[in-house]
Amino acid sequence: MPQRIEVLTTVEDGRAKTLQGYFANMGKSVKVRVADVYTLENDIPDPANLNRFMTSFVNPVIQQATLSTDAKPSVPGFPHDWAVEIGFLPGVTDNIGHTAQELLALTNLPPQAVYSSQVILIQGDVAKEDIDQFTSTLHNPLIQRAHIQAGVKPLPVVIPKVKLDNKGIAIDTVDLNISDDALALIGKDGIENADGSRRGPLGMSPIYMKAVQAYFKREGRPAKDIEIETIAQTWSEHCKHTIFASPIDDVKGGLYRHYIKRATNDIRAAKGSQDICVSVFKDNSGAIIFDDQWLITDKVETHNSPSALDPFGGAITGIVGVNRDCMGFGQGAKPILNRYGFCLADPASTPAYYRGKGKKNKMLSPETIMKGVINGVNHGGNCSGIPTPQGFLYFDDRYAGKPLVFAGTVGLIPRYINGKPSHEKRALPGDRIIMAGGKVGRDGIHGATFSSVALDEGSPATAVQIGDPITQKKMSDALIKEIRDLGLYHAITDNGAGGLSSSVGEMGGDSGGFLLELDKVPLKYPGMQPWEIWISESQERMTLAVPPENVDHLIALLAKRGVSAWDIGSFTDSGRARVSWHGDLIMDIAMDFLHDGVPETPLKTTFTRGGEPEPDLAEPDYRDAMLSMLSRLNICSKEFVAYQYDHNVQGSAVLGPLQGRGKVFAESSVSRPVLGNPRGVVLSQGLAPRYSDIDTYHMATASLDMAVRNAVSAGCPIEHLAILDNFCWCSADEPERLGQLKRACEAIYDAAVAYGTPFISGKDSMFNDFKGYDEHDKPIKISIPPTLLVSGIGVIPDVTQAVSLDPKQPGDLIYLLGTTRDELGGSEYYALHGKLGNNVPETDIHANFALYQKLSRFPLASSLAVTLGGLGVTLAKKCIAGQMGMNITLPDDLRFDCYLFSESTGRVVVTIAPADKTAFEKHFGSSARAIGTTTDQPVLTINRIKIDIMDMDVAYRKTLKGY
Amino acid sequence: MTAKALVVAGYGLNCEEETAQAFSYAGLGVVIRHVNDLADNPKELESVQILAIPGGFSYGDDTGSGNAFAQKMRLTLMDHLKKFVERDTLTLGICNGCQIAINLGLAPAFDKKYGERVVAVSHNLTARYQCRWVDVSVQSSTSPWLSGITRLHVPVAHGEGRFMMDDGVLATLRHQKQIALRYVKPDGSAANGEFPFSPNGSTDDIAGITDETGRVLALMPHPERGMFTSQRDDYATLKDAARRAGKSLPDTADGMDIFKNAAHYFETAKSRKSA
């Protein structure tokens, strides 16, 4: 008999108060209490034992526990008119339940499953419809169940246990000697089950399927299901990045090799002994030199499709997933900084999009998605003890169907460990395959393609993953802080996309083969098919290559830290990728076919410049225009995110996400990761997706320029700055979109080489399109604007050289560095008027580089790059940050709104102490234009315009204040 | 012999390294010890003079922040912890460590009843994690941790920092001067629960409490994140002003004083004894 323990928080705690606020906003006065529920699968019969267990999680100062059954009213301790219970669906990660299980073990009671849920009790006169609406804001039906009950009555006891309906374990043989049409159908919809249904898309083109057919013909035998699934995973766009690898027009080497990798190679060659790169593109993260002793690593991932369905789960999995890209670098780097970025639709908008015809599977609202993804990175980053000082939110309504979720992690690792270069790793033949961390469930199976599959109550366990940051933190601490330097393993890598098939497949590439014993892989629940175990994307797992003599020691050390690990096979030099199931070989593919057998698919592109006629706008009321600009989503303060992300854990914070007395949201940050060492890490980013509507070349140079400029503005020498690229594209099977992509790649080659800033890591996500139905049930496709995020990571030799964005003292001199041109195309100012225009900012990479070399070599009082919103917005932000005024005089060679809001790149506004004037003007020469002074008056004066700083402050903060 | 601090780690605690750095900088010996290792060898507590439970997210705050970790320590270490605090030692719980110490009943421990839980540290009134700088004013003059300190400018970073207790407990805390720290506004006046000066809506603006001896201090703000000048939120301003004045900035900031006080406590204890 299950037992249900209900822990009522008797006082009005912060949670209750916030929920009451929801009703207060509707004009209803209610009292709310929260009860945390722990449901035991089997009862604890002995009352003394039960009491011991209950006291282990009841805080007697503010809580009381009751035992409820089907027959007894739930939570009688608080008289209520409504009870709303939210619990997890079967198979969804239940972290609280896991902790309760650990408490069970601590209390010396026999192990069993414990499931958590939460009951919200509402006392007050509220209609059922209001409760329904309230409940819909509290849970995501893809992963959670909700139960609404009127009055004080029993709530049903629910055991969300996974019951797989697999009719026995089967390794199916798949006959590939079939027609091309039938072959194509397998590639498109998956392998056919016995009952005629299909297992879900493999994402394999007919060309790929023909290659697989030919391979098994050569092998002289039919294929097994697991073999086809493995090839599909390994060759997927997600893993192989085929679009970037394929020949495209006359670029035979493909975009990645010809533009991105070549840029890095050219830069490294040009820098010679000053090269900062150590490990680029080949590992889970890229790495540059920090100092003589340390390397820093960086990787930025995207987790877009999952976040559209389960924003919280998608984002938390994104951040803890990229943490593992850090732990999986070389011998294992320690995560020291997280970064995030969200591209979203306006949270105040209420579009009605459906994934299914007939108004089925409604898309989550932009507000729900925004709150969910923010919360996901909050929980994942904060729980992991990794500071998150750097990030952004960018808004465009074309992200309503596919939000973009970027998550990045910077790592720190000694350059040498036990005398060997730490970035090198290699699984050797004979090494055991050790999987550490969590068990395997059906999480994320066919994850890359699930968004096109109708989701119902029966399927979410396979579709959605939720990270468990504490399980991972335990593993990270044990591996990186204690075990790594003992030299017990030869190689370590992350289990991400494709799960074991990918991690073991990659590591086996070094040794020359592997034999994985799939029946030794521990499962969350019985009944999984072998191919499912092999490709499952269950989280919190690392794979290690361990010499046999070290296996017991390693597993014992992990066990002492509460981390599980299993010996699941061996690396070989057989040249074969082999998997066995209780002794039978169920997969046996040549390693070189698996890794290099993917057929080339030549791509063709076209390109047409976009844009609209330049709008003919009347000159605005400039005070109103400035305030409207400050309130725009892409300009206004995102402090509500910064305050909820721990940005000073590890004690490394120097310049954080909010700068100056006025706490302005910054586009770069500085941290000091090695306490006692003066060197700092500078993080920055740049993106300008709206420019893509005109010309992706200029979008890409602007994005890269912003990332570089934001970093050098904070004091980073450009010579010690590297960058990462994240392409999020749409409809990448259309020649025009591919043409935009190619142009963007040309652009970042040009800019990166001009700046000498090498790419060290990158990732792409090529199909960010939403295909569904609108509010009239008409088919609709929404494609994101082609988005390139460029992230900067640099090293500042001494954090005393870090420069914040806020002006420091009245009477200081203000300079504009760089040239302002009539470049309002794609600007926030045009967007304010609903226009696009055409004269998109064109980046003068050589002039900019000359300026950036000088920037970090002068003691500036403050510095802020001119980005979205232009010079006017930059000046306003500086006034708000420093809480001081400015007297500015701008020339009249351009129309004034153009001067204020043009987004010409390459510009920085700096302030200096008057005593530094001569030296400053000598240092910067003609690239600096004196434009005014700071004042102790609370007013920004630009020519004849006067705006109170208090008004600007309100405008800057009001838009997202309510979140 | 230099006094030695033991900083607990494991299960999602995550501030052990910077907390150890703080003790070390203050001139104390320090060791980071995983709680499982400490449970295996609890006698190690007899060889150290300071116990620090650092910040973090033990067990992900599941079942209430600090609860599960406190339960783990209670079941494996309670007798040794009681012996430890009854000796002439210092104990520090920061943030998650504060929640653990309070769940363990190491503070306020009225009538030396270590182990009895009478205070709760609950969800912030915003029901949201708050990472921001605050000002706290020192109330207790009895705690060796706070000797000579009147104000601290330090950050908080927590989702559950609201001290809650019944009126009787509050009265006793006040009467016995066990309220160590209160949130104040930058001008020094009481925060009166006003956000963001009080980041969590804590009863009576309480940011930290002690046991009756003052040797056990449990506080929500993070002194180790405000121990160096370069960590401060106004670092850029201070740095610029110092440059103009031709001065150099001190390396350390407010938070370090707490750790220096610990070192000082054992130095004077030694000189007291040798005198």
Side-chain angles (χ1 to χ4, degrees), chain A residues 302-321:
Chain A
T302 49
H303 221 227
N304 306 335
S305 296
S307 302
L309 293 189
D310 175 16
F312 176 83
I316 191 174
T317 306
I319 195 75
V320 297

Side-chain angles (χ1 to χ4, degrees), chain A residues 133-147:
Chain A
Q133 180 58 32
F134 171 68
T135 305
S136 74
T137 66
L138 286 178
H139 81 298
N140 180 350
L142 281 181
I143 55 163
Q144 290 165 315
R145 68 185 166 86
H147 184 88

Side-chain angles (χ1 to χ4, degrees), chain B residues 95-223:
Chain B
C95 195
N96 195 212
C98 166
Q99 295 155 342
I100 292 166
I102 285 171
N103 278 319
L104 274 172
L106 297 181
F110 296 141
D111 303 322
K112 298 248 158 70
K113 282 187 192 149
Y114 292 103
E116 204 174 281
R117 176 155 61 167
V118 297
V119 169
V121 188
S122 175
H123 297 269
N124 295 349
L125 271 189
T126 55
R128 180 175 284 177
Y129 192 88
Q130 297 290 344
C131 178
R132 51 174 80 236
W133 284 75
V134 295
D135 293 291
V136 290
S137 108
V138 174
Q139 308 292 314
S140 157
S141 55
T142 58
S143 173
W145 288 105
L146 299 168
S147 156
I149 306 174
T150 52
R151 280 276 292 277
L152 292 165
H153 183 62
V154 280
V156 292
H158 59 247
E160 301 179 32
R162 183 183 174 209
F163 283 78
M164 298 184 84
M165 66 216 74
D166 68 36
D167 291 347
V169 171
L170 179 60
T172 311
L173 280 176
R174 284 179 178 158
H175 177 70
Q176 304 196 143
K177 296 196 184 312
Q178 286 180 254
I179 298 173
L181 301 163
R182 280 198 177 95
Y183 298 107
V184 292
K185 293 180 178 173
D187 66 6
S189 62
N192 276 329
E194 190 185 329
F195 184 83
F197 310 108
S198 162
N200 49 38
S202 193
T203 305
D204 205 17
D205 294 334
I206 296 173
I209 61 173
T210 65
D211 69 345
E212 289 171 341
T213 70
R215 289 188 288 104
V216 178
L217 171 64
L219 77 167
M220 287 310 297
H222 281 277

Side-chain angles (χ1 to χ4, degrees), chain A residues 891-905:
Chain A
D892 53 8
D893 50 341
L894 291 173
R895 206 172 91 169
F896 199 52
D897 51 354
C898 188
Y899 234 114
L900 284 185
F901 305 123
S902 166
E903 294 177 5
S904 294
T905 65

Side-chain angles (χ1 to χ4, degrees), chain A residues 731-797:
Chain A
S731 312
D733 44 6
E734 295 173 6
E736 193 64 27
R737 292 299 190 188
L738 289 170
Q740 289 183 315
L741 181 65
K742 188 178 161 199
R743 241 180 111 63
C745 290
E746 286 168 14
I748 59 171
Y749 173 85
D750 295 345
V753 170
Y755 292 166
T757 49
F759 297 101
I760 58 167
S761 172
K763 196 70 192 275
D764 53 82
S765 165
M766 288 286 106
F767 294 93
N768 291 289
D769 307 278
F770 170 81
K771 287 177 192 159
Y773 300 87
D774 68 7
E775 57 193 328
H776 309 297
D777 212 19
K778 290 208 180 95
I780 183 175
K781 177 176 170 183
I782 310 168
S783 299
I784 66 156
T787 303
L788 169 65
L789 170 66
V790 180
S791 305
I793 177 162
V795 176
I796 190 168

Side-chain angles (χ1 to χ4, degrees), chain A residues 11-15 17-18 38 56-62 95-96 99 102-103 106 334 382-383 385 470 473-474 481 560-561 640 643-651 653-654 663 672 675 799-800 802 804 806 808-809 812 859 861 913 916 963, chain B residues 11-18 21 34 36-37 57 59-60 62-63 67-68 71-72 75 103 117-120 122-133 155 157 162 164-165 225 227-228 230-233 235-237 239-241 243-244:
Chain A
V11 296
E12 183 186 79
D13 68 358
R15 300 182 296 178
K17 199 131 181 154
T18 307
Y38 305 87
S56 75
F57 52 72
V58 178
N59 187 330
V61 184
I62 53 170
N95 290 324
I96 299 173
T99 297
E102 294 216 20
L103 287 169
L106 281 173
K334 178 181 131 182
N382 291 351
C383 282
I470 293 303
K473 171 72 175 158
K474 287 191 288 185
K481 295 186 179 179
K560 272 179 83 173
R561 299 299 176 243
F640 78 109
Y643 281 129
Q644 61 176 295
Y645 288 180
D646 192 341
H647 45 262
N648 49 23
V649 61
Q650 299 191 8
V654 177
K663 307 291 176 206
R672 191 173 69 140
L675 294 177
V799 294
T800 58
S804 69
D806 52 311
K808 302 299 183 298
Q809 291 197 16
D812 277 5
D916 294 327
Y963 300 99
Chain B
Y11 290 88
L13 289 178
N14 59 35
C15 301
E16 67 274 12
E17 290 187 357
E18 54 269 36
Q21 170 88 5
H34 194 283
N36 288 355
D37 292 349
F57 254 98
Y59 290 96
D62 303 336
T63 74
N67 176 69
Q71 185 67 6
K72 191 175 179 73
L75 292 169
N103 278 319
R117 176 155 61 167
V118 297
V119 169
S122 175
H123 297 269
N124 295 349
L125 271 189
T126 55
R128 180 175 284 177
Y129 192 88
Q130 297 290 344
C131 178
R132 51 174 80 236
W133 284 75
R162 183 183 174 209
M164 298 184 84
M165 66 216 74
R225 300 185 189 182
M227 62 179 164
F228 296 124
S230 66
Q231 293 171 322
R232 285 177 65 109
D233 58 343
Y235 170 58
T237 306
K239 180 164 71 84
D240 182 77
R243 178 182 170 266
R244 292 180 202 228

Side-chain angles (χ1 to χ4, degrees), chain B residues 12-34:
Chain B
L13 289 178
N14 59 35
C15 301
E16 67 274 12
E17 290 187 357
E18 54 269 36
T19 305
Q21 170 88 5
F23 284 113
S24 176
Y25 196 98
L28 290 152
V30 66
V31 60
I32 295 173
R33 191 64 70 212
H34 194 283

